[in-house]
Amino acid sequence: MTKSHLLYAVSVAIVLASCVHEEEPTRGDGKNITFSAKSFGTTDKSKGETMFTMSDEAGSPILDVAYSTEDMPMPINFAEDVAEDPSENTKATLITTADGMSAGFGVYVHDGAQYVVDGETVTKNSKGEWTTAASHPFDKDKTYTAIGYYPSDLNFNKESRNFTYAVSMSSTASKDVMIGYFNGKLNEGQAALNFSHAMTAVRFVWGDVEKATKIKLISLNGVYISGTCTPDFTTSPVSYSWGNFGSTPQVVVGSKEINAPSEGTTITDDEYTFVLIPQNLATKNVTLMLTLSDGTNNFSVSKKLTSGEWAPGKINLYKLNYHDDYDYFIEDIPEVVTDYTGSPDGEFTVKSYKQLKTSPYTTSAQAWNVEYYDGSDWVTTKPSGGDWPLVNSISKTSGIGGTSGETASMSFTAQTPEKSGDIPAGYHSIILRARGTKGELDEGDTGLKRYDLSYDNPRYGSKYPNRSTANCYIVGSSGYYKIPAVYGNAIQNGAKNTGAYNPGITSSNPVLSTFVNHDNASITSPWISENVNLNGTAINIDNAVIVWQDAQNLVTGVAVKTIYDAETKKDQKFVVFNVENNDYLKPGNCLIAIRDSNNKILWSWHIWVTDELMSNTFEVVSDRTYHMMPAALGWVYGGTTTATVYYERSVRMRINNGKATKEFTVTQSPYMTAPTTGTGYCPYYQWGRKDPIVPSTGSPNGSNDKNQKQTFNATYSPDFSNAKAMNSSTNNRSVGYSIQHPNEYMGTGNNYSSGGWMWNQGDWCQQKYVNRWSANNTYLDNENGVGTLYDREFVIKTIYDPSPVGFKVANLSAYEGIVSDWEANRNIEWSKGKQGAMYKGSLFLPATGYRGCYWYEEGGIDIFGSLIGYGWGNGGPKYEVHYYTTRAAGERNNKFFYIKSNDDENLDWSDGPPVGISNFFKTIGGVLRPIAETD
């Protein structure tokens, strides 16, 4: 095979020597005609890179091509660079000396009248001189035009000064074409020809390689291999214009093989460089084709080169990145969760497919299989150790794939109890810690990755998937949380819940037609920042603070952030906070608030950290079936309880389709059965207020009993300064005032005359609104009797309701069902040892008593018993279950449900029926046992 010659631009001096004998000197200097080379050239390069991906038939691998160009380098000091063995430069190497033309170049020299040299070949002799075979006379005073051409057999037309040229269909036989030009007087017979490249060079290097691949063959299809070139001799060096292109067959590089190329490996070097006719690819249909081998089979990949211009004198460099034509996907698989009994069965759905890069909507199925994590590695056989006994069976462990999805069902085994009997309070913390952490913090804590509690519905789960807000948010694990700055339940399942803050009712009894904010201004929008103060100025949410919490360091990092909200599609104000997974994580309560720039509280929220599962409601049948919350609102067990504990089990699985993997977790939730005994405590509420009252150190009738646990302030330090929190002043106690002062317990006045402190101040609020907890209520019961028809209204939850999402304050008839069942069937058991009552053997109603409202009691707990400490009662300790309802009873009182006992294990009949419904002041601190919101 003839080797091609790729010559990089040279400057050659042709010296015309006298053709006469030495004894017959000419008018010249008498020297023989010789040729010499002088230094010429530039190292400047012009580069431009464009990344483009070629299209191809669907499903074939593709080549991403990075394209760049650079000038062919110029030689330096050719006259001093004489090859000892010219045969070394016969290949198409990157020639940087004139020795690349060792086979010779052709030349025409014209003196203005005739050709002095007419198409002869110039070669280098043994002395290193470039000469023609014959000697030619010259006249040093004449002007000569010289044109050199390489190769010497180039069909250069001296008259039209152009040539037609065809490249070889094998790159190893292709040759460079160069034209040199000189015009002027000869200096000592030398004609300095400035050669330049008429051709273009194409090279390929290897970029990213998806897998070990051997290159067998490389070719270019659709390139012009012939054309007519017209040099422009007015430029220095000579420039070129190509046209009159011929046919377009392929150009093949040959059978050169490159084994397992790595990034940067040159594919076409030395004699395998393509030397081609310059042409613009934008108007051509040029395809690059590679024949590859994976060690077993040969296969081809091809890509169309749709842009780039192959210019004369340029090296066109292509960096090839070989990879599959598909992107591979396994769609996210939700976590699989079962309870401690192994019920319900679980399932997971696999969508495994590949998608054409060139056509994103074109997909094909991709086969998949299940893999299991055994603690150190992923395996294809389900392990038997660790927590893997959790998974009993899987109906499908592999599939053909597809976008429609293939569903596999799973069955589980029941968990073995960790402990049954007397359970220390610390087990509740263990369960909380075992549930993992929700949400995360991104860089700078933008809030976008925090867990939004307004999408949690602890009662109804995914039945209502959109945002629902409340005044209480239940936290069942550690996490990084956010809640929207929204008034109570003003958003329900993604929509404005206007009935909760703008019922539009009227009545002869005192009602709120439009509910009010902290400044007693009417609320017009769920989002607090979209409302105004009473004077019409915009509400500015500036900061957030912890008002109090009853467990040290339980809630930290409280702040206000502006976060983009996908549901409203704009920036909104959120309150963020952290519940860390550390030794401080335990059940407890916290009240957080937002404030303006003057630190005036604008609204507040109760954060209840508990391991209780709110889906475990208890049914009570009255005029309809009610579903009662499994614990009093804010309940925290404070000591040993009688229960059974099941720890969490979890295993990791993943789907593997050969190109992508997707991991998911199967979890068996921890669980503690509802305690049948146990001490504890819960927050107390004043009728119609939205916030739990701060825990108290006050004691009834001056007793030294300690009735509630320690509290902690905004700096997480122990703090009793606000614990008594009794405000006996009766001035300006409006709804707005109560919102601004959620840490104040608003008791009765201290005016003894005519019983004013009792009879006139039974309501903490000067406005006796009867619909604070049931938006459409307009009725007032008589003070002594129990209403019938209108006590059974469906409660419309309001923005002042303290209940979490999915629940609301119970109406009177929910408790009437318990009362009537007790009257008919005596279905209530009291036990001093259990420190509470059991209804139907399963609904535990702890003796909570109530918080005194009289000025001298300082908010202490009365008629309480030994649940936490002794209360006060005539003749010794008394025990009482005392739960509020939505019903107002006159302007001073509310309706509440009670169960009473004495110090024996019997109900207390001493002053009437021990189970029933009665009236008491709205200033009393009572306990709430909410019902499901749809009841």
Side-chain angles (χ1 to χ4, degrees), residues 16 27 109-114 116 138-146 181-186 191:
L16 302 182
R27 294 188 308 171
V109 180
H110 198 275
D111 65 1
Q114 60 180 340
V116 177
F138 68 93
D139 186 333
K140 65 180 181 179
D141 295 326
K142 281 188 175 182
T143 296
Y144 291 87
T145 298
Y181 181 73
F182 169 80
N183 181 260
K185 294 181 179 180
L186 300 176

Side-chain angles (χ1 to χ4, degrees), residues 550-700:
D550 54 24
Q552 188 173 19
N553 289 3
L554 178 62
V555 173
T556 60
V558 176
V560 169
K561 285 187 177 292
T562 301
I563 305 171
Y564 178 77
D565 178 57
E567 194 153 308
T568 58
K569 296 181 174 56
K570 61 181 179 179
D571 288 342
Q572 298 284 14
K573 294 290 187 180
F574 283 79
V575 184
V576 301
F577 62 92
N578 309 329
V579 177
E580 301 286 353
N581 196 339
N582 54 29
D583 291 341
Y584 291 106
L585 180 56
K586 62 183 67 175
N589 297 276
C590 178
L591 192 67
I592 60 177
I594 54 172
R595 305 187 297 188
D596 63 15
S597 58
N598 295 318
N599 289 336
K600 179 188 295 182
I601 288 179
L602 307 172
W603 201 262
S604 49
W605 293 269
H606 171 205
I607 307 302
W608 180 18
V609 180
T610 179
D611 58 320
E612 291 278 3
L613 298 179
M614 296 302 139
S615 57
N616 295 334
T617 55
F618 187 89
E619 289 189 1
V620 175
V621 179
S622 181
D623 58 314
R624 53 184 172 272
T625 299
Y626 296 92
H627 299 82
M628 197 160 284
M629 184 181 280
L633 183 56
W635 181 261
V636 175
Y637 288 97
T640 300
T641 60
T642 302
T644 302
V645 174
Y646 299 85
Y647 270 178
E648 178 184 81
R649 292 193 294 186
S650 66
V651 294
R652 293 163 59 192
M653 298 172 60
R654 75 176 185 183
I655 306 301
N656 189 339
N657 68 9
K659 294 283 188 176
T661 61
K662 188 66 67 174
E663 184 177 338
F664 63 100
T665 301
V666 180
T667 301
Q668 191 165 38
S669 300
Y671 182 66
M672 181 182 292
T673 59
T676 56
T677 67
T679 60
Y681 78 98
C682 59
Y684 293 78
Y685 295 82
Q686 290 187 281
W687 191 90
R689 292 186 69 179
K690 68 184 188 64
D691 297 301
I693 304 169
V694 62
S696 173
T697 56
S699 301

Side-chain angles (χ1 to χ4, degrees), residues 153 186 206 258 358 367 377 386 438 449 475 480 534 562 694 706 746:
D153 60 355
L186 300 176
W206 206 243
I258 300 176
T358 55
D377 201 3
K438 290 186 176 183
K449 292 188 176 182
V475 171
Y480 302 98
L534 193 59
T562 301
V694 62
K706 188 174 182 179
M746 300 178 187

Side-chain angles (χ1 to χ4, degrees), residues 532-547:
V532 298
N533 295 296
L534 193 59
N535 62 8
T537 59
I539 292 177
N540 176 32
I541 302 174
D542 182 76
N543 62 82
V545 68
I546 291 176
V547 179

Side-chain angles (χ1 to χ4, degrees), residues 512-535:
L512 274 166
S513 177
T514 301
F515 282 58
V516 297
N517 62 17
H518 72 285
D519 206 28
N520 288 310
S522 295
I523 294 173
T524 59
S525 170
W527 291 88
I528 297 173
S529 60
E530 295 177 358
N531 288 267
V532 298
N533 295 296
L534 193 59
N535 62 8

Side-chain angles (χ1 to χ4, degrees), residues 86-107:
S87 65
E88 292 182 357
N89 291 322
T90 57
K91 293 183 178 181
T93 56
L94 300 182
I95 301 169
T96 58
T97 71
D99 294 320
M101 293 189 294
S102 59
F105 59 87
V107 68

